[in-house]
Amino acid sequence: MSDIEIARAAKKKSIQEIGTKVGIPTEHLLPYGHDKAKVSQEFINSVQDRPNGKLILVTAVNPTPAGEGKTTTTVGLGDGLNAIGKKAMICIREASLGPNFGMKGGAAGGGYAQIVPMEDMNLHFTGDFHAITSAHSLLSAMLDNHIYWGNEQQIDVRRVAWRRVVDMNDRSLRQITSSLGGVANGYPREDGFDITVASEVMAILCLSNDLKDLQKRLGDMIVAYRRDKTPVYCRDIKADGAMTVLLKDAMQPNLVQTLENNPAFVHGGPFANIAHGCNSVIATKTALKLADYVVTEAGFGADLGAEKFMDIKCRKAGLAPDAVVLVATVRALKMNGGVKKDDLGKESVDAVKKGCANLGRHIENLKQFGVSVVVAINHFVKDTDAEIQAVIDFVATQGSEAILAKHWADGSKGSADLARKVVEVVERGKSNFAPLYPDEMPLFEKIETIAKRIYRADEVIADTKVRGQLKEWEEQGYGHLPVCMAKTQYSFTTDPNRRGAPTGHSLPVREVRLSAGAGFIVVVCGDIMTMPGLPRVPSAESIYLNDDGQIEGLF
Amino acid sequence: MSDIEIARAAKKKSIQEIGTKVGIPTEHLLPYGHDKAKVSQEFINSVQDRPNGKLILVTAVNPTPAGEGKTTTTVGLGDGLNAIGKKAMICIREASLGPNFGMKGGAAGGGYAQIVPMEDMNLHFTGDFHAITSAHSLLSAMLDNHIYWGNEQQIDVRRVAWRRVVDMNDRSLRQITSSLGGVANGYPREDGFDITVASEVMAILCLSNDLKDLQKRLGDMIVAYRRDKTPVYCRDIKADGAMTVLLKDAMQPNLVQTLENNPAFVHGGPFANIAHGCNSVIATKTALKLADYVVTEAGFGADLGAEKFMDIKCRKAGLAPDAVVLVATVRALKMNGGVKKDDLGKESVDAVKKGCANLGRHIENLKQFGVSVVVAINHFVKDTDAEIQAVIDFVATQGSEAILAKHWADGSKGSADLARKVVEVVERGKSNFAPLYPDEMPLFEKIETIAKRIYRADEVIADTKVRGQLKEWEEQGYGHLPVCMAKTQYSFTTDPNRRGAPTGHSLPVREVRLSAGAGFIVVVCGDIMTMPGLPRVPSAESIYLNDDGQIEGLF
């Protein structure tokens, strides 16, 4: 059966029943249909004094076209923990609407480790991203309106830093000239649209502890500069209050369920390159109050996703992971070992062994954060025993353990071993989490620290403009911020073709950007696309409702 | 107490209880929070064989700054009918999000005749308008993507007819140049954004009988022309299926309640100028299966709103109103009689009598549709007995009856008399509805018929380009469509300052547009704004969440 067939055959429980499992009273669940609900702010406030459960981060080796199954493993581990008698919750990101009309949308998970309702999660879901688009668009309109009515803030219209957004893959809006058409329409200027998930509002929503914090951070966003180069903040345009009102419901975590009727929060979805790529802090923190184990994931591979999870999300939210599960597949390791995608069907223990270098480096890296690492081998049916054994043996040499997990085929039965190992590691209690660098380290040194200790680059290359900009921000009081690396996900280097565990490379920094509201410095290393386009034949062309009212072509 | 204070003090029942009142089983209500729900398509299908209830249209004299209270009377009459023992439902339009950030948002109704939850209805509500924005944006992206990848349909990029939309008052997007930035971003062209309620997708959603009909109409939309001037349809771009998927939930009517816990559908909200300005056909038709009386309203005054309700909505949906309630206020009649807004506080029976000319003409006009008319005098506390009596006496001379209605102050107690009169008129059964003109009348004659019989213009002025365009559409098979007049709402003429019952004017037609999917010809008479701007001090500047989490400044 395909993912969508399995998802449609799910025996879902009412969302109220799911809420009851983790002690959320029905009156504090705001339902969206029968299988989705938001958790009320009142309830979240009421559980703040409870102790926290254990936090498990699921991350992965560098992605390859072979697929790693990070979300699948996150879901499988959550189900596995519940199956072995632990009260566990899952926290993952929401999907972006626009890209589903380019290429087929995806499940949240796969096989028998999925979160449902799949269709809704790929479409409007509970409207969070629409609310973010609205809040972002309101600020855009108010900014141009401010200029139109006399520009009291003396914004330099050449230096507007606030681009527009839409939740659609629309390359024709990447670069536009706006306010054409004469006096009534304002002052023409260059502008452009990003996709909604790239909005700083998205990153802020995902990093805010509550609505007050949200409004403060929105106010802190820099929207433009004056001729004297001083920043104009969102607060100066007086948009922060109304934006917060628009985001009021979007800030509440969305409760849904796995195929095995276990509770999951699916909330927030910032870009993993120009933002930190994790689900919302409010969802993770709330889950920690409701469950003994919370399983969450971060975007891309561990070099980007886990590093940002630790250095941005955990640092800012005061979170500390109790264990990290590093997902690898035999197939992905083979590709890291040099096998081409078309040859993945053939057994190649040597290629697995060679590819393990990538896995090994991620294990080493993760240990630098003071966390215990369990490797999950996400099983594919064509994996051979010898290949699997090669991974297990390799991981043992790294002072860690690899567990074969078959949740894709068998649900929680297939992930119970992994769950037991995670519990064992957590109960051993040896995690001693610390971020990679302290707040007070100079910004350029922070970049160097990540480049050398995580990417294993020899040096960071940046011109004087970049270095000068970082200095300027330090002088303006932004020196304490963490850095958010925007780099290819496919390699430790900036060259997507260099798989495995490369050395002898340098990290060229092309550009730095300040996300003053989200609270990080974006370090752009290579081309970063913030507005995707549609392919020649977009998937939208074959999406339709069949005679039974079911959606065809979306998956 | 203000409207918002009354709304907040409402003792709402759960939306399931409201559904039960009209026989909608809980499993067929898709809840959005505890006080809003969508009605499932399965349930709607299941009631199709039931007989229809009676349909009451609420319309009004020409609007003045004094306010008429059309929605308030619609809600009051619905409550009044329920109070006198009739099973009644209310059907009104949804509010647009964007304009609330320019000027303060409004209640749905007022005083003790309101629909709640007011905050939600002024913000995201159930996401219908976001879905419309998404569906519209998808087509925009697919259209430019089609051109980008080789333009197989040979679209003349100078003749793209499909503008973009956003649900925000953003004048700087009215006119833009898109696809700038080189090869990767496409072919630069002129473009622009309208506000979402002006989208043809909105009009289509509100006129479609079901999802199949919706998809067909979406496919029929003309998005561009080729060099040989032949139209390119949405169907040619293959966007109609995916748009329907995006609109699947938005097509389902939204159930909410009045302050007196009576059921109301709030669904759809097309512009009342370039579109027909009525709530959705699916909501009205469903309500007619669930209730004995369905009270609905149309945009603007009776010259525009009621005419379009009859000639577009009823004609296309096969509906027939059983009675029309024409709302007037003493204040509005005084303004129609020449009194300035600042002088409305002073009694002036003469001005009332003079202003009754406007009322009288609307009564005459409405009778041309073969419907019975009841005049509702929506009571304001400063109205004097003599003024009210002047209206009652005047209406009696017109072969109709005027009823004083005090629902604003007293809820259903204040509207019971009006409700009884409406029931009396309906039970008398003299309505014999017919649209003003037959389908087969030539397009220009349709315009003339409305101009002469409703606006009482002597002639229609249109240049050869307009007349030629209409002829061309007739040759292309669009001659059977009704016409949708886009004219000022403040006067029977195109001059907003000519109140009362003017004669001796002509109707200049500036432009005609084909809405091939919605199924009407838009006749533009004067300036029509499809993208509003924000004022110098937008209301958004003072909107915020207070410490109790309540929204301040939105109302």
Side-chain angles (χ1 to χ4, degrees):
Chain A
M1 289 221 285
S2 69
D3 286 354
I4 177 68
E5 286 167 330
I6 294 171
R8 282 189 183 152
K11 294 211 168 68
K12 284 181 288 185
K13 292 197 175 160
S14 81
I15 200 62
Q16 287 79 12
E17 276 180 86
I18 303 300
T20 302
K21 273 198 173 185
V22 282
I24 311 174
T26 297
E27 65 268 27
H28 285 298
L29 280 179
L30 292 163
Y32 284 68
H34 300 299
D35 50 13
K36 307 176 289 294
K38 285 187 166 281
V39 182
S40 80
Q41 188 59 51
E42 296 71 33
F43 177 75
I44 293 175
N45 294 342
S46 76
V47 297
Q48 290 309 309
D49 292 338
R50 297 187 188 172
N52 284 325
K54 302 296 182 185
L55 181 59
I56 316 297
L57 173 70
V58 177
T59 184
V61 296
N62 286 96
T64 68
E68 293 68 45
K70 195 173 53 191
T71 305
T72 303
T73 304
T74 303
V75 177
L77 176 57
D79 280 340
L81 286 163
N82 277 291
I84 64 167
K86 301 294 176 188
K87 194 172 174 185
M89 278 195 79
I90 294 158
C91 289
I92 64 166
R93 286 169 292 167
E94 299 179 54
S96 180
L97 179 70
N100 292 332
F101 298 103
M103 296 200 290
K104 288 191 177 201
Y112 287 90
Q114 290 189 54
I115 292 175
V116 284
M118 183 174 169
E119 280 100 336
D120 290 356
M121 288 169 62
N122 278 280
L123 291 169
H124 307 294
F125 199 36
T126 60
D128 292 344
F129 288 14
H130 291 318
I132 289 167
T133 307
S134 289
H136 189 117
S137 302
L138 174 62
L139 177 53
S140 300
M142 288 178 78
L143 181 68
D144 276 306
N145 191 59
H146 180 93
I147 297 167
Y148 176 85
W149 285 106
N151 198 0
E152 209 172 275
Q153 291 286 344
Q154 299 188 278
I155 290 166
D156 181 347
V157 293
R158 302 166 309 174
R159 290 196 171 87
V160 172
W162 189 248
R163 285 165 57 84
R164 289 177 150 83
V165 297
V166 63
D167 195 2
M168 201 51 73
N169 288 20
D170 194 347
R171 72 168 66 73
S172 59
L173 292 177
R174 281 177 192 151
Q175 202 172 320
I176 68 168
T177 315
S178 63
S179 300
L180 301 174
V183 174
N185 297 351
Y187 296 88
R189 66 177 183 85
E190 285 186 26
D191 198 1
F193 284 70
D194 294 328
I195 192 160
T196 297
V197 284
S199 168
E200 190 175 348
V201 177
M202 173 68 86
I204 288 176
L205 184 118
C206 292
L207 286 169
S208 298
N209 287 302
D210 52 40
L211 287 163
K212 276 233 159 96
D213 189 21
L214 177 77
Q215 177 163 354
K216 193 218 160 264
R217 287 166 179 273
L218 292 172
D220 287 343
M221 292 191 299
I222 294 171
V223 296
Y225 293 88
R226 300 183 183 86
R227 285 193 80 94
D228 64 6
K229 302 236 182 114
T230 56
V232 179
Y233 298 96
C234 168
R235 189 175 292 114
D236 298 324
I237 306 298
K238 298 179 187 150
D240 48 325
M243 290 172 79
T244 304
V245 166
L246 279 167
L247 294 168
K248 182 173 67 78
D249 296 333
M251 259 297 275
Q252 304 313 120
N254 305 300
L255 181 69
V256 285
Q257 64 191 291
T258 67
L259 295 176
E260 300 192 8
N261 311 123
N262 291 314
F265 281 149
V266 176
H267 193 219
F271 252 30
N273 49 33
I274 60 153
H276 62 294
C278 301
N279 77 289
S280 77
V281 162
I282 195 170
T284 305
K285 283 191 159 181
T286 303
L288 285 168
K289 300 296 182 186
L290 304 181
D292 298 327
Y293 283 83
V294 174
V295 186
T296 190
E297 63 169 349
F300 298 159
D303 54 327
L304 280 165
E307 187 271 313
K308 292 183 189 190
F309 176 82
M310 312 282 192
D311 282 326
I312 300 177
K313 181 172 175 177
C314 288
R315 178 195 303 266
K316 287 182 174 281
L319 294 168
D322 294 278
V324 174
V325 172
L326 178 60
V327 181
T329 57
V330 164
R331 294 156 55 88
L333 293 176
K334 275 152 94 171
M335 286 198 81
N336 263 294
V339 174
K340 294 224 171 77
K341 202 185 170 191
D342 290 343
D343 299 330
L344 284 174
K346 288 180 236 154
E347 176 178 271
S348 176
V349 176
D350 280 348
V352 171
K353 284 182 181 168
K354 201 169 157 222
C356 276
N358 187 268
L359 179 58
R361 184 174 284 178
H362 285 296
I363 296 172
E364 253 183 60
N365 283 351
L366 288 164
K367 287 186 175 172
Q368 295 187 64
F369 291 93
V371 294
S372 304
V373 181
V374 175
V375 173
I377 307 173
N378 180 23
H379 186 250
F380 275 67
V381 280
K382 289 199 175 165
D383 297 349
T384 70
D385 290 346
E387 289 174 327
I388 292 164
Q389 195 57 48
V391 183
I392 293 173
D393 292 346
F394 171 80
V395 173
T397 68
Q398 306 294 304
S400 193
E401 270 182 277
I403 309 292
L404 186 66
K406 297 188 169 180
H407 42 276
W408 183 85
D410 299 329
S412 63
K413 264 184 226 150
S415 59
D417 286 348
L418 176 64
R420 272 185 284 265
K421 177 57 65 184
V422 166
V423 170
E424 184 196 313
V425 165
V426 167
E427 288 182 350
R428 219 184 284 148
K430 288 208 175 149
S431 268
N432 188 17
F433 169 74
L436 196 66
Y437 52 81
D439 288 353
E440 55 276 14
M441 184 183 278
L443 291 172
F444 193 77
E445 269 183 55
K446 287 174 181 166
I447 301 170
E448 283 186 319
T449 302
I450 294 169
K452 291 181 179 171
R453 290 180 57 192
I454 304 293
Y455 311 154
R456 314 297 174 100
D458 293 334
E459 56 173 352
V460 175
I461 301 171
D463 61 24
T464 49
K465 200 179 150 201
V466 164
R467 289 168 195 258
Q469 179 64 78
L470 294 172
K471 279 273 168 246
E472 205 176 303
W473 286 331
E474 283 167 355
E475 283 155 21
Q476 289 167 5
Y478 294 110
H480 65 290
L481 295 182
V483 294
C484 179
M485 306 302 287
K487 176 184 83 58
T488 178
Q489 57 180 308
Y490 299 108
S491 171
F492 280 105
T493 75
T494 53
D495 174 359
N497 300 310
R498 292 190 67 186
R499 299 216 167 102
T503 52
H505 53 283
S506 45
L507 182 81
V509 175
R510 210 182 60 180
E511 183 195 341
V512 284
R513 300 178 194 168
L514 172 58
S515 290
F520 49 68
I521 308 282
V522 182
V523 180
V524 181
C525 313
D527 285 328
I528 296 300
M529 172 63 71
T530 50
M531 172 53 92
L534 292 171
R536 182 183 287 272
V537 182
S539 68
E541 291 189 4
S542 43
I543 294 175
Y544 65 99
L545 282 182
N546 68 21
D547 288 339
D548 297 327
Q550 285 176 324
I551 300 166
E552 299 284 356
L554 184 55
F555 309 99
Chain B
M1 291 221 285
S2 69
D3 285 353
I4 176 69
E5 285 167 330
I6 293 170
R8 280 186 184 154
K11 295 211 170 68
K12 283 181 290 186
K13 291 195 175 158
S14 81
I15 200 62
Q16 287 78 11
E17 278 181 85
I18 303 300
T20 302
K21 271 198 173 185
V22 282
I24 311 174
T26 297
E27 66 269 27
H28 285 297
L29 280 178
L30 291 164
Y32 284 69
H34 301 298
D35 49 12
K36 307 176 288 294
K38 284 187 167 283
V39 182
S40 80
Q41 188 60 50
E42 296 72 33
F43 177 75
I44 294 175
N45 294 342
S46 76
V47 298
Q48 289 309 310
D49 291 337
R50 296 187 190 174
N52 284 325
K54 302 295 183 185
L55 180 59
I56 316 297
L57 173 71
V58 177
T59 183
V61 296
N62 286 97
T64 69
E68 295 67 46
K70 194 173 54 192
T71 306
T72 303
T73 303
T74 303
V75 177
L77 176 57
D79 280 339
L81 285 163
N82 276 292
I84 65 166
K86 301 293 175 189
K87 194 171 172 185
M89 279 195 78
I90 295 159
C91 289
I92 64 167
R93 285 169 293 169
E94 298 180 56
S96 179
L97 178 71
N100 292 331
F101 298 102
M103 298 201 289
K104 288 191 177 201
Y112 287 90
Q114 291 189 55
I115 293 174
V116 285
M118 183 172 168
E119 279 101 337
D120 291 354
M121 288 169 59
N122 277 279
L123 292 169
H124 308 293
F125 199 35
T126 59
D128 293 343
F129 288 15
H130 290 319
I132 290 167
T133 306
S134 289
H136 188 117
S137 303
L138 175 61
L139 177 52
S140 300
M142 288 178 78
L143 182 67
D144 276 307
N145 191 60
H146 180 92
I147 297 167
Y148 176 86
W149 284 106
N151 199 1
E152 208 173 278
Q153 290 288 342
Q154 298 188 278
I155 290 166
D156 182 347
V157 292
R158 303 165 308 171
R159 291 198 171 86
V160 172
W162 189 247
R163 285 165 57 83
R164 289 178 151 82
V165 298
V166 61
D167 194 4
M168 201 52 73
N169 288 19
D170 194 346
R171 71 168 67 73
S172 59
L173 292 177
R174 281 178 192 150
Q175 202 172 319
I176 68 168
T177 315
S178 64
S179 299
L180 300 175
V183 172
N185 297 350
Y187 297 88
R189 66 177 183 88
E190 286 187 26
D191 197 1
F193 283 70
D194 295 327
I195 193 162
T196 297
V197 284
S199 168
E200 189 175 348
V201 178
M202 173 68 86
I204 288 176
L205 184 119
C206 291
L207 286 169
S208 297
N209 286 303
D210 52 40
L211 288 163
K212 276 232 159 97
D213 189 21
L214 177 78
Q215 178 163 354
K216 195 219 158 263
R217 288 167 178 272
L218 292 172
D220 286 344
M221 292 191 300
I222 294 171
V223 295
Y225 294 87
R226 300 183 183 87
R227 283 193 81 95
D228 64 6
K229 303 237 182 111
T230 55
V232 178
Y233 298 97
C234 168
R235 189 174 293 114
D236 298 324
I237 305 298
K238 298 179 188 150
D240 48 325
M243 290 172 79
T244 304
V245 167
L246 279 168
L247 294 168
K248 181 174 67 80
D249 295 333
M251 259 298 275
Q252 304 311 121
N254 305 300
L255 182 69
V256 285
Q257 64 191 290
T258 68
L259 295 176
E260 300 192 8
N261 311 121
N262 291 312
F265 281 149
V266 177
H267 193 219
F271 252 32
N273 48 35
I274 59 153
H276 62 293
C278 300
N279 76 289
S280 77
V281 162
I282 195 170
T284 305
K285 282 190 159 181
T286 303
L288 286 168
K289 299 296 182 187
L290 303 182
D292 298 327
Y293 283 82
V294 174
V295 187
T296 190
E297 63 168 350
F300 297 160
D303 54 327
L304 280 165
E307 187 271 313
K308 293 183 190 189
F309 176 82
M310 312 282 194
D311 282 325
I312 300 177
K313 181 172 175 176
C314 288
R315 178 196 304 266
K316 286 180 174 283
L319 295 168
D322 294 277
V324 174
V325 172
L326 178 60
V327 182
T329 58
V330 164
R331 293 156 56 88
L333 293 176
K334 275 152 92 169
M335 286 196 81
N336 263 296
V339 174
K340 295 222 171 77
K341 201 185 169 190
D342 290 344
D343 298 330
L344 284 174
K346 287 180 235 155
E347 175 179 273
S348 176
V349 177
D350 281 348
V352 171
K353 284 182 181 167
K354 202 169 156 224
C356 275
N358 187 268
L359 178 58
R361 183 174 283 179
H362 285 297
I363 296 173
E364 253 183 59
N365 283 350
L366 288 165
K367 286 186 174 171
Q368 295 187 65
F369 291 93
V371 293
S372 302
V373 181
V374 176
V375 173
I377 307 173
N378 180 22
H379 186 249
F380 275 67
V381 281
K382 287 196 175 167
D383 297 350
T384 70
D385 290 348
E387 289 174 327
I388 292 165
Q389 195 57 47
V391 184
I392 292 173
D393 291 346
F394 171 81
V395 173
T397 68
Q398 306 294 304
S400 192
E401 271 183 275
I403 308 293
L404 187 65
K406 297 187 169 180
H407 42 274
W408 184 85
D410 300 329
S412 64
K413 263 183 227 150
S415 59
D417 286 350
L418 176 64
R420 271 185 285 266
K421 177 57 65 185
V422 166
V423 170
E424 184 195 313
V425 165
V426 168
E427 288 183 349
R428 220 185 283 148
K430 290 209 176 146
S431 268
N432 188 16
F433 169 74
L436 197 66
Y437 53 80
D439 287 354
E440 55 275 15
M441 185 184 276
L443 291 171
F444 194 75
E445 269 183 55
K446 287 174 181 165
I447 302 171
E448 282 186 319
T449 302
I450 294 170
K452 290 182 178 170
R453 290 180 57 193
I454 304 292
Y455 309 155
R456 314 297 174 101
D458 293 334
E459 56 173 352
V460 175
I461 301 171
D463 60 24
T464 50
K465 199 179 149 199
V466 164
R467 289 169 196 256
Q469 180 63 79
L470 293 173
K471 280 273 167 244
E472 205 176 303
W473 285 332
E474 283 166 355
E475 282 155 22
Q476 289 168 5
Y478 295 110
H480 65 288
L481 295 182
V483 293
C484 179
M485 307 301 288
K487 175 185 82 60
T488 178
Q489 57 180 308
Y490 298 110
S491 171
F492 280 104
T493 74
T494 53
D495 174 359
N497 300 311
R498 292 191 67 186
R499 298 216 168 102
T503 51
H505 54 283
S506 45
L507 182 81
V509 176
R510 211 183 58 179
E511 182 194 342
V512 284
R513 300 178 195 168
L514 171 58
S515 290
F520 50 67
I521 308 283
V522 182
V523 181
V524 180
C525 313
D527 285 328
I528 296 299
M529 172 64 71
T530 49
M531 172 52 92
L534 292 171
R536 181 182 290 272
V537 182
S539 68
E541 291 189 5
S542 43
I543 294 173
Y544 65 99
L545 281 183
N546 68 22
D547 288 339
D548 297 328
Q550 285 177 323
I551 300 166
E552 299 283 356
L554 184 55
F555 308 99

